[in-house]
């Protein structure tokens, strides 16, 4: 268990959709799966958890960049 981190209960994550843990890790919940990434956008390091998550796509409001939370690649 040393590499695991309890970030909350799934039902709570489903409601919140995004959460920050340890001050630097963004946790997203999409279709009952949980994804965790560095909470900094790849461009200027702004906080990803402040974006909007809809249908698994995180829309980030500074530059309206979009990321697929399941892969953190830009959606097609
Ligand atoms: S500042 Fe984050 S994508 Fe541009």
């Amino acid at each position: 268990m040393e590499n695991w981190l309890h970030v909350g209960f799934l039902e709570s994550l489903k409601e919140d959709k995004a959460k920050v843990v340890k001050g630097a890790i963004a946790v997203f919940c999409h279709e009952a799966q949980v994804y965790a990434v560095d909470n900094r956008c790849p461009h200027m390091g702004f906080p990803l958890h402040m974006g909007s998550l809809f249908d698994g796509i995180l829309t980030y409001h500074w530059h309206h960049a979009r990321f697929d939370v399941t892969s953190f690649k830009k959606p097609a």
Side-chain angles (χ1 to χ4, degrees), residues 41 43-44 46 60 62-63 65 67:
C41 80
H43 179 209
M44 294 182 72
F46 290 156
Y60 179 73
W62 274 272
H63 284 151
F67 301 95

Side-chain angles (χ1 to χ4, degrees), residues 10 13-14 17 27-36 53 69-70:
L10 184 58
L13 289 170
K14 283 179 184 175
K17 293 191 177 179
V27 177
F28 298 96
C29 185
H30 170 61
E31 293 183 343
Q33 296 293 312
V34 177
Y35 303 91
L53 183 61
V69 293
T70 66

Side-chain angles (χ1 to χ4, degrees), residues 3-29:
N3 292 325
W4 291 91
L5 179 66
H6 180 76
V7 298
F9 294 98
L10 184 58
E11 291 306 316
S12 171
L13 289 170
K14 283 179 184 175
E15 286 180 22
D16 296 342
K17 293 191 177 179
K19 157 178 203 178
V20 179
V21 294
K22 296 227 169 198
I25 302 168
V27 177
F28 298 96
C29 185

